[in-house]
Amino acid sequence: MKKFAKQSLINLMIVILVCVIGRIATRSVYRAYIPMNYISTESESFSVRQEEEGGRVSFGTPEIREGFAFVDVRPEKPGDVVLFLVDEAGEEAGFGFFKVSRFGTIYNMSSGEFTGDNIVMCALTYLALSESLFLLLGYRRAKGASFYSYSTIYAAGFSLFLLLTGIMLLMATIRHIFSPGRFFMTSVYSQISSAGYNFMFLTFPLVLVFAVSMTVSNIELLRHERPRIQNALGILISVMMIGGAVLAFLVGGANFSGSEFEYRLRMTMQNVYCTAYAYFECMLIGSIICGIKAARHIPKGPVDYILILGCGFRKDGTLPPLLRGRVDRAISFWKDQKEKGKTAILVPSGGQGPDEVMAEAEAMRNYLLSQGIPDEYIRPEKESKNTYQNMVFSKKLIENENKDARVIFSTTNYHVFRSGVWASLAGLRAEGIGSITRWWYWPNAFMREVVGLLANRWKQELVFLIVLIFVFGTMSMVL
């Protein structure tokens, strides 16, 4: 993430420099356009005059095209300007309101254009697309143990947001450059401030597919498991996402009447809501992408230790399918590597719960022995109470024997990525392998993992979300 921040800062400085150079290169010449009151006229020539005395601007001969008069305007002194388009008979054919700043920048008060706006638009488009590329490259570069981090989630999720925003800006830029009279800068401002809404609209088909898939898997889960809130988490999230998107679309498409301030306030509230929605959608997308990749990943050997993460087992000490799947996955990897000439140490990890007859590590050790694994290759870790402690205590056990050991961990497929994050937080560099679970169980269990990931950093996520809301909320009021 530090590398991305450094790249982004350099990229932003380049964009600002390009905008400054482009502004200087224009020599304060602004290509103004004045809408004509009528398109067909008997006049063959037109001229421009300004209402204000003292000449706040100077201008050339207008060019008539597509119902607009285009004219090059140069600033002379700051102030407000009204330019009138007149025909040969001196009749008014159109007018426009402009403002000259003390820095010589001319603003079109009706449509939002300003001196050098095309350069700024191109620069902003480049910024969005290049930042998307940087994030995507950051995601692709995340290998091994470094893959399990929140930075990878951000890179996977927000690269899509910036890509779609950049594409929309590119389309708006092209339309404005080639048809400024038809596609105003106010439309470009709307594209920027409404980035969250646009992202929601473009990704709604994906959200719909996700919601349907989650609902189907959850219904099947409830058929096999007892009804409880945890087993309906996927349905609840799906309903919230679909309902949240539909609410935004209904509000955004509703007719509005009121003052300009009321309209800006309404749009600000809408964009703040959509920004928050888009933020959580990006986090969900990033988590899903990272979770699926982590579950399918097979580390390259050889490794020295295979850590097996424990969970609940039966009262008679035998392993239920979920835990047995984790141990079997570790055994499979252990045997494959042994055939290649390297024998790893298996570390079943898990303490004894209040309702358990023995430590989880001991139950897994018994199963390993029953599967023909020699006891000399088993190092039980019996103190941990959760995944984080699994990583911490196992790290100590491993480092007491081999400080330079290469470690992997085995868990259920939906749990791999979050476990990797815990390993990273514990200072254990380890990749994960995942055991397969039933199709109707995996989605809902993975949603619990996503919620857990966000809950682990709710303060940091809240700060980041507040910053985004402030940025897009401010843009909505200003633009």
Side-chain angles (χ1 to χ4, degrees), residues 383-395:
E383 303 299 323
S384 55
K385 303 298 181 183
N386 52 49
T387 305
Y388 179 70
Q389 290 184 3
N390 287 147
M391 301 301 181
V392 171
F393 296 146
S394 298
K395 178 175 181 288

Side-chain angles (χ1 to χ4, degrees), residues 14-28:
I14 292 174
V15 166
I16 294 174
L17 182 61
V18 168
C19 290
V20 171
I21 294 175
R23 175 66 180 82
I24 295 174
T26 61
R27 298 180 181 179
S28 296

Side-chain angles (χ1 to χ4, degrees), residues 320-349:
L322 191 68
L323 183 53
R324 188 171 65 247
R326 298 181 180 188
V327 183
D328 286 342
R329 184 68 184 91
I331 293 173
S332 175
F333 193 96
W334 184 87
K335 288 181 176 180
D336 289 343
Q337 181 171 289
K338 190 174 185 296
E339 291 178 356
K340 298 175 182 178
K342 173 70 174 180
T343 305
I345 302 297
L346 291 158
V347 183
S349 176

Side-chain angles (χ1 to χ4, degrees), residues 338-469:
K338 190 174 185 296
E339 291 178 356
K340 298 175 182 178
K342 173 70 174 180
T343 305
I345 302 297
L346 291 158
V347 183
S349 176
Q352 182 176 357
D355 58 344
E356 294 177 329
V357 297
M358 65 182 77
E360 294 171 359
E362 191 63 30
M364 287 187 283
R365 175 179 174 273
N366 294 337
Y367 180 79
L368 288 168
L369 293 172
S370 72
Q371 298 300 305
I373 305 298
D375 196 35
E376 61 183 297
Y377 296 117
I378 304 174
R379 303 285 192 277
E381 181 284 301
K382 305 178 183 180
E383 303 299 323
S384 55
K385 303 298 181 183
N386 52 49
T387 305
Y388 179 70
Q389 290 184 3
N390 287 147
M391 301 301 181
V392 171
F393 296 146
S394 298
K395 178 175 181 288
K396 291 180 180 179
L397 184 153
I398 293 170
E399 289 183 345
N400 286 336
E401 296 184 357
N402 185 353
K403 291 186 178 180
D404 299 320
R406 184 167 181 234
V407 184
I408 66 170
F409 61 86
S410 177
T411 186
T412 317
N413 51 10
Y414 62 80
H415 192 48
V416 175
F417 185 79
R418 189 182 179 197
S419 299
V421 172
W422 283 121
S424 178
L425 293 174
L428 176 64
R429 290 191 60 80
E431 297 179 66
I433 52 177
S435 62
I436 298 175
T437 188
R438 296 180 180 180
W439 69 269
W440 45 263
Y441 188 88
W442 188 92
N444 194 77
F446 182 73
M447 281 300 102
R448 293 202 303 267
E449 296 296 306
V450 172
V451 172
L453 281 168
L454 295 179
N456 291 341
R457 281 168 51 98
W458 70 270
K459 292 181 180 179
Q460 295 93 323
E461 302 304 324
L462 182 61
V463 170
F464 192 24
L465 176 60
I466 290 174
V467 171
L468 286 177
I469 288 176

Side-chain angles (χ1 to χ4, degrees), residues 15-46:
V15 166
I16 294 174
L17 182 61
V18 168
C19 290
V20 171
I21 294 175
R23 175 66 180 82
I24 295 174
T26 61
R27 298 180 181 179
S28 296
V29 177
Y30 170 64
R31 182 74 166 173
Y33 59 89
I34 302 174
M36 299 179 64
N37 294 337
Y38 50 87
I39 298 178
S40 59
T41 178
E42 296 180 357
S43 298
E44 296 182 357
S45 62
F46 293 85

Side-chain angles (χ1 to χ4, degrees), residues 275-303:
T275 299
Y277 182 100
Y279 173 79
F280 286 109
E281 184 182 346
C282 286
M283 291 296 293
L284 179 62
I285 291 172
S287 298
I288 291 174
I289 292 174
C290 292
I292 292 175
K293 183 176 180 180
R296 297 169 60 89
H297 177 64
I298 300 177
K300 295 181 180 179
V303 300

